[in-house]
Amino acid sequence: MTTAVGSLLATLPGDRYTDPENFRREQERIFETEWFCAVRSADLDKPGAYRTVQVGRESVLVTRNRRGELRAFLNVCRHRGARLCTEQAGEVRRSLQCPYHAWTYDLDGKLTAAPNLTRMPDVDRAAYGLHTVRLREWLGYAWVCLSAEPPSFEESVMGDVAERLGGNDVIGHYAIESLALGRRHTYDVAANWKLIIENFMECYHCATIHPELTEVLPEFADGFAAQYYVGHGPQFAAEAEGFTVDGSAGFDRLPGVPDTHDRRYYAITIRPQVFVNLVPDHVIVHRMFPLAADRTVVECDWLYAPEVIAAGADVSHSVELFHRVNVQDFDACERTQPAMASRAYREGGVLVPSEHHIGDFHTWVTDRLADPG
């Protein structure tokens, strides 16, 4: 790693962003052990609706059972290992059937039928059910964990939010679980997942590549990110009526948002793969799906009060602001990714003072990759 002195801190070395073996260890020791935000609960709006997501090296199937509960399973048939659901999203009536040999499971994962199963009376249908994955619902999303002993959800996921906002109850003001989806964009980014997180955590780049954002949040032009300070939310520009691409008015403030949070923006990183952005009239949630050392799919949801969506309101001005920010950020990450393999970055780079908090993220990653003992 780079030896940095004075106001400069060393970053991770370049191969941490390019080496397939390092990425495999991240899959095993981070994405397959931490809580992972998989699916927006409302996307699975009826029994039998399902979605498949990549979590580390595993395909995870999330579905809603006949009682309306969300359940998660490894997307692997117990017979000969075929992929159970091959589509990213879909709907079944009452059961999940393997397309290879027709082993069939109910929506709680129990084996219910298979060719000639009645001739095998010794087969325990519960024991040969789908492998269950731990699932928690929070903020209107389903979070899954592949670990047999998941970390405390309260200390890890909720703890990241509480630490950033300066309290456990602040996020509740926005009632995210009750909001409606106004728009979703999916971005296929040719960059390592850590570059995307590092970019989101700092604003040293904001004056350079985010002209629309710094017009609304002039504090960002000074290079200090919202996440640099606990509980801090940069204030809107005096002339900005709302968090929109042209500063025009947005919608009424969400009912629970207090005066102290009006006309302010809050950004939160929930390790390892979620960003939450809070503004008075809507919330933006990013979920990252790391697929390779140099490829990350990002799904971004814009969420509004249900009455705004039900009325058919035009949300394009607020969506366009952060869509431009996303494109600008992801372009920067894609420009950076090739240099991670350069001899010039073999020992890494440096963090300036307004980026020092990224060093805590690097430590978090490094600690999880360390061999036990």
Side-chain angles (χ1 to χ4, degrees):
M1 295 177 67
T2 297
T3 301
V5 296
S7 60
L8 302 179
L9 296 181
T11 70
L12 296 173
D15 65 354
R16 301 288 182 86
Y17 303 85
T18 61
D19 179 27
E21 174 58 21
N22 186 77
F23 181 69
R24 187 202 64 77
R25 292 173 67 218
E26 291 174 341
Q27 290 178 304
E28 177 186 1
R29 301 188 184 188
I30 296 178
F31 303 117
E32 295 174 17
T33 61
E34 300 291 331
W35 286 99
F36 190 100
C37 188
V39 176
R40 178 168 151 75
S41 300
D43 287 349
L44 305 179
D45 59 351
K46 63 184 70 172
Y50 72 83
R51 183 162 178 184
T52 60
V53 295
Q54 191 72 22
V55 181
R57 296 164 296 177
E58 296 283 2
S59 174
V60 174
L61 169 64
V62 184
T63 189
R64 194 174 290 281
N65 67 15
R66 304 306 301 176
R67 299 181 298 281
E69 303 162 334
L70 288 182
R71 301 295 306 275
F73 311 98
L74 296 182
N75 188 21
V76 176
C77 179
R78 294 297 306 279
H79 172 221
R80 299 253 306 275
R83 183 66 57 89
L84 192 63
C85 294
T86 56
E87 300 296 327
Q88 185 179 43
E91 183 180 330
V92 297
R93 293 193 63 182
R94 292 187 175 274
S95 58
L96 301 157
Q97 186 175 82
C98 177
Y100 192 7
H101 294 97
W103 277 39
T104 304
Y105 307 85
D106 68 19
L107 298 176
D108 288 304
K110 181 182 177 181
L111 177 66
T112 58
N116 305 318
L117 185 60
T118 56
R119 301 179 189 174
M120 299 176 278
D122 58 330
V123 173
D124 185 332
R125 299 189 183 203
Y128 282 89
L130 299 176
H131 285 288
T132 300
V133 173
R134 302 287 187 92
L135 183 148
R136 286 280 302 264
E137 286 189 78
W138 191 54
L139 304 181
Y141 288 82
W143 307 67
V144 300
C145 185
L146 298 179
S147 175
E149 298 181 1
S152 165
F153 191 87
E154 289 73 19
E155 293 178 8
S156 57
V157 175
M158 298 173 72
D160 272 357
V161 175
E163 181 179 359
R164 163 68 189 100
L165 295 179
N168 290 305
D169 59 344
V170 178
I171 192 79
H173 297 320
Y174 294 81
I176 298 174
E177 66 282 352
S178 70
L179 302 182
L181 181 66
R183 192 75 55 84
R184 173 175 291 160
H185 279 296
T186 301
Y187 308 86
D188 199 332
V189 187
N192 185 271
W193 67 281
K194 296 186 297 299
L195 289 179
I196 297 173
I197 286 192
E198 293 162 14
N199 171 278
F200 183 75
M201 290 183 71
E202 55 92 357
C203 214
Y204 194 47
H205 67 277
C206 287
T208 308
I209 71 171
H210 294 321
E212 299 89 354
L213 185 63
T214 53
E215 282 290 318
V216 177
L217 300 174
E219 178 182 311
F220 276 5
D222 295 330
F224 282 92
Q227 297 182 77
Y228 191 83
Y229 309 98
V230 173
H232 177 65
Q235 194 164 16
F236 294 1
E239 62 275 14
E241 296 183 60
F243 195 74
T244 56
V245 70
D246 55 2
S248 59
F251 304 101
D252 291 341
R253 193 196 320 178
L254 296 171
V257 176
D259 291 343
T260 53
H261 286 58
D262 193 21
R263 295 182 57 77
R264 289 186 179 274
Y265 163 80
Y266 296 85
I268 309 160
T269 300
I270 305 176
R271 297 166 296 188
Q273 46 81 246
V274 176
F275 308 144
V276 180
N277 309 270
L278 307 172
V279 291
D281 66 331
H282 65 281
V283 172
I284 308 162
V285 178
H286 297 69
R287 285 168 293 138
M288 294 193 302
F289 298 88
L291 300 181
D294 59 356
R295 183 184 175 211
T296 308
V297 170
V298 183
E299 195 164 86
C300 185
D301 293 344
W302 281 260
L303 308 173
Y304 300 84
E307 58 270 22
V308 170
I309 303 306
D314 181 5
V315 300
S316 61
H317 288 279
S318 52
V319 170
E320 181 62 22
L321 174 57
F322 227 89
H323 172 59
R324 291 192 192 183
V325 171
N326 286 339
V327 170
Q328 292 156 355
D329 280 338
F330 300 153
D331 283 350
C333 292
E334 289 184 339
R335 288 196 301 273
T336 303
Q337 180 65 35
M340 297 296 98
S342 169
R343 68 189 67 190
Y345 209 79
R346 186 173 296 152
E347 302 301 319
V350 293
L351 303 170
V352 301
S354 63
E355 302 170 309
H356 280 185
H357 55 296
I358 295 175
D360 294 333
F361 168 64
H362 291 163
T363 299
W364 183 88
V365 171
T366 301
D367 287 348
R368 277 148 184 78
L369 298 188
D371 291 326

